[in-house]
Structures are given as structure tokens and as C-alpha cells.
Amino acid sequence: MFCRLALKNVRRSVKDYSLYFLTLLFGVCVFYVFNSLENQWVMGALNANERNVNYTGAILQLVDVVSVFVAVVLAFLILYANSFLLRRRKQELGTYLLLGMEHSRIALLLSLETLVIGLAALACGLVLGFFLAQALSAFTAALFRIRVEEFYFVFSWKGVAKTILYFGIIFLLVMVLNVVTVARQRLIRLLQANRQNQSLKLQSVRASLVFFLLGVALLAVAYTLLLRRGLLTIDRIFFLMLALGTAGTLLFFRSLSGFLLRLGRSNQKLYYRELNMFVLRQFNSRITTHYLSMTVVCLLLLLAIGITACSVGVNNTVESNVSRDAPVDMTLRVEDYDYENFAQELPGYLARAGFDPETQLTACASVTRYVMDLPLAQPVTVQGEVYEKRAIEYAMSLSDYNALMAIQGKGPYTLEPGTYGVVEGTEEYQAAHLFWEAGAQFVLNGVTYSPDPDFHTSGAYFTSTIRLSDLFIFPDGVLEALSKEQYNFCQYFLAGDYARDADAAEDALWASINSLHTVIAQNQGTQSSSFSLDTYLSLYAEAMGTKLLVLFLGLYLGIIFLVTSAAVLALQQLSQAADNVERYRILSRLGVEERMRDRSSDIQVFLAFFLPLALAVVHSIVGMKAANDIIAQLGKLDTVASSAVTALFILVVYGLYFLATCWSSRRILRGL
Amino acid sequence: MEPILTVSHLQKYYGSRGNITRAIDDLSFSVQPGEFVGIMGASGSGKTTLLNCIATIDTVTGGSIVIDKQDITKLPRKALSRFRRERLGFVFQDCNLLDTLTGRENIALALTILRRPAGEIERQVAQTAKLLDVTDCLDKYPYQMSGGQRQRVAAARAIITSPALVLADEPTGALDSKSARLLLDRFEHLNGERGATILMVTHDAFTASYCRRILFIKDGRPFTELIRGNDDRRAFFAKIIDVVTLLGGDSGDVL
């Protein structure tokens, strides 16, 4: 009997519960998708390659941490939604009390209802999440260009357990809240809930005009600051900018309705048309209670848009960075070797350790880079400063550089005797090539070298995880003739492209590097060298890991913020529709048709949904423009594609809530 | 003259077979243009049901209601809304005005939903407000007005569309006697000057004494009819009291 009442209640208030249910469903679904990542086949495929384990682990860990945050956000949302539902049912609760039901029984009834809704949402959300998780896997696979050999459905028990645990706690909180709320209710207040006057605070139209202009001005200042200074200069002014932006947004929404009203009234034709006047007044009367939430929703939407757009957009940037930083398949760096024939013997060591450069590399070059001070023939002025010498510069002989370039299919370059060239590296803000431009002359072993006006190249000369500094190129024999005291140290590099199966060659190379120490120790009796290996594949994997991490977290948080803001708006609109029943009853008596009434209700919902979105879009366009200026330094943020993806995604989720709200609002007002 | 409202053999039953409440049972009467008719009866006599049926808010079980040559019991739902906003005006006891709109906007609303041109609206509102003596309330919100002012604004909204029939349901029910007098004064004025046809439901003899003719109903059937003729209001009031006593209505309702 009792259970039946609870079930009946749920079924009866389906129209109230539909949005609550939708929100729970989304929450559960997203939560499951990201917490089942570990068991998804794409993660399995990624982990099959041992080099990927590091960052997949990092991703899973971060998702774990973020999930706690997400759960807290969802908990607040669900509690808010629940309290909204409870408010709607005050009179019903009053009736139960009047009939002599005890507080505890009512609390139990509500808990049962929560349980029913919660279980249904969990079940549906998990099913939906199950399918979405496959979609995410497929999407990830496409990103990683993983060939899908076996596509199979995975049901992550761990993900399910975690989802149930977190949402179980949330539902428990909801039940506790219900009990507390019910216990505090007094019968008389419940029965008269519908008759209580809502206080109506109306603001003066003139004040709102002033507020509006002030708000727009504040936003303009914040925008200017942002565009002038960029996104990443985090100092006091940055926070001032944030504060200005927030205050501007707040004032904007506080005054917008008044401003619209003013605007509407100045156009009599529009104002005195059907229910326009009513809609504008209605909107204006609500704003005193809604502007705060509108601001919060606008900022949440901004976060959602920004995070999603940037996480999708950063992708392409990262990818182009890899091709730029890794022009060749592999580069082995040996630091500070101090014995003569190392360069000649290294390939032999490698071959003995399991990787034969002769057969497994198509093109390869073994080169030496000197790290040294370069004395200037006469002081040179560069960017307003006078220099006597260049300390700690990188230098390489011409044939070495040509060998490196040959792998990339460039060159060969030539140098006249007595001249030097310069290679602009990938590192930003390097000064070395400025000396070449300034015509600086260096003196080595008594010979003066002047800049060769035709020798100025740029770009990475081998693969490296760290940015490459500018490099001076000297004719052959010059550097080799230096004595050990004339340079700080030199580095040996072996760079090349793999011959056949890149993956197998890569694995063999990493294995050989690990045993290289032992091999060298056996042959030379010394271990003074240190190695590092940078390969295209490892750079690619790392970049992809970053990309995946940013993408996953971005999508995760983006969706949650989006759902939260849409749900808050939807609930608010519904509670407003419930308050408006009386007004629409009057309108209906005056002869307002259903069509006109539905339109007026839709416009109100539209305003509530569209205005925060509109401002958030403006905010994010400015923000992305500022962000782009920074990201442009790393590469080009593909704003068009990422914006399109983001827009589509937001339109779907937000639009779904918008439609559901319109529908529910209409239902509340129907049959007057 | 062609009557503006003809109610013939009207029946309104509630409940289903075997358990029927006859709220209105075979009621017939007609109202001529320019009449000010009151409907009186004790609580539960079916007077509000009658008004709701005429107002097209409620449906009838049998009989017909012809307003302005149109049988409203046969109109489809959508046409009813249209009929309401074009041919009828309403003044109710409470929940009359929209609290978010000013007096001017409340009155104008009746015209905007008729899609009247904006220029005409302002002029008409000013005119009608003057007629009902609410010019100084035009820029006030309902909560800033007195109860009487609110009802007069509602009356202005009811007549601004020049409806065929103004329906008033206990318009003085929530008013003090002074405000009630003022409102009824205006009703009389509207009836006399503009020739507005008013049908007013009340159980208050004083309020009813402003009418030119009063229909008494009891248990959903016509009881009797009083015509003021050349009586002054005091004499008419005394007659009404007599009938009310005869009706056996609770004397507490009598002023």
C-alpha cells in the first residue's frame, strides 16, 4: 500500500520529475563513461604499447580526482532539484499531515520516491553510459589512429560500482534532507503554501538603465584588458580583470530586463502586441531573484564552452608540434664523452646491445655539437647592449650539419672559408642569430670568422623533447682543431630514420639503450657517459597523452558544467511556470488562446536560456581570441573546427533541456 | 428589440449516473441590450455556475446560451477564446489584475490580445480610465492601489473592448462599503452613459439594488424576478430584502 502510494506519486508527477530525471540520467551517464575508462578497450589497446602506460595511468588518476569534484557539483545540483520538487508539493504534504500521517511516515514515503527515481535514473543512465562509453572509445581510437582489430563491448563493473557508490551517497543525502525538511514543516504553512503572497520587488527602470550602461562599460574594460594583456599574464591585474568581468556580467543581468522593458516600451507597436507587454513585465519582475543565478549560469557556460573548445582545439596544436619537434625518427644524445673514438665505436656498441644502426636505420648521421664561449673580434651591440663575447653557445661543423639535413632531405649548404652560418632553433626569444644579423665576427684559434650572409636556416635539426637553441655553423676542421680547454664540453648525437617496421625498431632501440651502459662498461671500463633518447614515437605518444588528457578532462568538466547550468535554469523556469498559473488563468479568462499562451511561456523560457548563453558566447569568443594569441605561439588553434564541434555539442545538451523545459512549462499551464 | 443574451432550458449537472447534482435545472431568461441585470440566490443556488456557463468558462449539460445571435454552447474551444476576448468583459471578486503589470497595462491587455493598433490603445485606455475615475492609478501597480481602485481598473479592462456583455461575479465581495458604492456608481454610469449591458451575480442585497432587474434563483431553478421600474434604490432594496427573506437564504448575507 505504502509502496504503491510512492510509485503512484512518481507516476503522477512525471511532468515535474521529467527534468529531475533527465539531470540524474545525464549525471549518472557521464560519470559512468569517464569512470569506466580504465576497462574500455581503447585503453587496453593503448596500454598494449608499454610506452603508453605512463600517461594512461596519469589520465585515470586525474579522472579519479576530478570525479570527486564532479560528484560534489552533482550533489549540489540534485539537492537543489530535490528541494524544488519538495516546494512544489507542499500542499500535498500538508494533506498527508492533515489526514494524520506521521512526519516519519511522510519522510519514508519521500525516501521511497527518491529511491524509485534514483534506481530508475541509475539503470537508464548506466545503459546510456554503456553505449556512450563505446562511442568515446571509438572516438579516442580515431584520435590515436589506432587500427581497431577487435571491437568489443565492455561493461566496466568497477565503473558501475563507483557510480552506484557515489550516487548512492548523493541519494542518501537527498533522503536525509527530505527528512529534515519534512520534520520542520508546520501543517498550517503547508496548507497555505499556495496562498502565501510572493513579495514582488520591482526596480525602477531608470536605475536599470544606469546599471546596464555601467555593466557594459565594466565588460568593455575587462575585454580590453584581456585582449591587450592576453590570457596567461597572471598577476593582480588579471584578478582585477576577472572581478570586473564578473561584476559586469552581474550588472548586465541585473539591469537587462529593465533595459529591455525600456526598449520595448519605446516601441509601442511591439509593446502593445499580444502578450509582449506581459512577457517583458514578467521577465522584469523575476530578475531581482534570478539575476544571481543567471550570472552563475553564464559563467558556468563560459567555463563549459571554453574548456570544451580549447580541449578540442588544442589537439591540432599538439599534433603539429610533434612534427615540428621531431623531424627524424630517433636521436640519441650522449653527453660529455671524454674518450677519442667513441663516435666511431658507438654504432658497434648499439649493435651489440641489440640495435644495429647499419641495418635498422635508413639514413643516419652521427654528429658532434660543441658547447663553448665564442670570443668576438670586436664588441658588438645587439638590442642596445654591448657584448665582448658570446658565452655558452652551440656550434657545429658544416659537414655534420649537412649530414643531419640530408636525413630530412635538405641541403647541402656551403660556407666560404673564414665565414660562419647560423641556424635558428625552435626555442623562442633566442639572441644568437641576432649576432649573425648584426655582423658579429668571432675569433677562433686566431682566425676571424664573419657571418655568411646567405647561411641562415631555421627549424629543428634533430628530434628533441626540449627546444633547440640557435646553432652556429663553422667550416669543417675549425671546431675539431680546438683543444679541450677551448670549449666547455661537447655532445654526441646519432640521428636517423628507421628502415622498416618503426614499432619493432623503436622497441629494439629502447631495449639496447637500457643495456648500453653495461656494454660500454665492459668494453671501455668506464661509465662516464650519460645517454638520452628522443624519438618521434615517444614525442608523439607524449603529445597524444597530453591531448587525450586535456580532451577527456575538458569533455568531462564541460559536460558537467553544461548540464548543471541547464538544469538550474530549467528548474527555475518550471518553478516560475508554477507560480504563473494564476496569471495565466486570468489571461485565459480574458480570452487568450492556447497558442498565444504557449508562445508567451516559450518566450520566457527562451529568454532565460538564451540570454546567459548569448553573453557566455560573447565572453568565450573574446577569451578564445586572447587564448589564441598564446596558443598561436605553439601552433595554430583550430578555432573553426573546434568551435563547430563545441557549438554542436552545447546545442544538443542545452537544446534538450530547453525543449524539455518548454514542454514542461506548457504542461503546467495547460488546461486552465 | 433582439435580446443580447438568451438562456433557454439551461441544464448543468455534475456527477455521473445515479449520483447527479443538478446545479442548474431548466433555467430560461433573456437580457436586452443596455440592461443592468442582477442574479441573486443563496450559496449553492447555482448563480456562479450560471455565470461561468455564460462566460464560456464552463460547459453546459443541456439547453442553449445565445449571446449576440451566437449559440456559445456549440462553439469549438478555440472559437470560445476568441469569443471571450471579443464579445465579453469580466469583473471578478478577486484575482482580477495581473500583479506584474501597471494599471495602464492591465487595461491595455484586453486590447493587445485583440491585436488592436498600438496608437489606438493609449487613447482608449486614457478615455476608459477617465470614465471609471482611475486616471491616477494608470502608472501604479495593483499592490499600490486600494481594493476599490483595483476593481474599477478591472471594470475598465472589462468594458474597453466594448463587449456585448459585461459579466460581474460578486464585484463588491472584497470591498468596504464606500469602495463598493463607488464601484457600483460607476457601473450605473457605464450602464446609463455607454449603454453597457451588465450581468452581475451577487448575494448582497445592497449591491443588487443598483440593478434595474433582478433574477432570483433557488436550487438551480428560477424563483422570481424583480423589476426596479421607477422605484428609488431604497424602495427597491426593501423589496429585495423581502424576496431574500422569502428565499430563506441565510439572513447573514443581508446587509
Side-chain angles (χ1 to χ4, degrees), chain A residues 263-281:
Chain A
L263 213 67
R265 280 214 296 205
S266 66
N267 183 351
Q268 293 226 327
K269 268 220 176 91
L270 188 80
Y271 196 59
Y272 285 128
R273 218 188 99 81
E274 299 190 8
L275 292 180
N276 287 355
M277 177 172 75
F278 172 71
V279 170
L280 278 176
R281 281 291 184 183

Side-chain angles (χ1 to χ4, degrees), chain A residues 86-135:
Chain A
L86 218 54
R87 226 180 8 237
R88 292 263 291 141
R89 299 176 57 190
K90 271 193 175 160
Q91 207 156 28
E92 183 191 330
L93 299 185
T95 310
Y96 291 144
L97 278 175
L98 195 67
L99 291 174
M101 206 187 258
E102 291 124 33
H103 278 97
S104 58
R105 297 285 285 178
I106 294 178
L108 188 65
L109 182 73
L110 287 177
S111 300
L112 267 174
E113 287 183 41
T114 310
L115 198 71
V116 171
I117 291 274
L119 284 178
L122 262 178
C124 297
L126 286 176
V127 170
L128 189 65
F130 170 69
F131 288 109
L132 268 184
Q134 314 306 321

Side-chain angles (χ1 to χ4, degrees), chain A residues 318-382:
Chain A
V318 167
E319 196 157 349
S320 64
N321 278 357
V322 174
S323 333
R324 195 194 56 194
D325 289 337
V328 295
D329 278 353
M330 58 77 68
T331 300
L332 173 65
R333 169 208 296 255
V334 184
E335 295 284 349
D336 194 18
Y337 66 96
D338 54 358
Y339 34 90
E340 291 293 322
N341 298 323
F342 188 85
Q344 284 76 44
E345 289 169 12
L346 182 74
Y349 294 143
L350 273 176
R352 254 166 283 155
F355 180 85
D356 188 0
E358 295 263 327
T359 58
Q360 285 178 288
L361 291 178
T362 42
C364 90
S366 62
V367 300
T368 308
R369 184 168 76 168
Y370 292 83
V371 182
M372 58 194 290
D373 296 346
L374 287 171
L376 285 161
Q378 57 265 343
V380 173
T381 314
V382 169

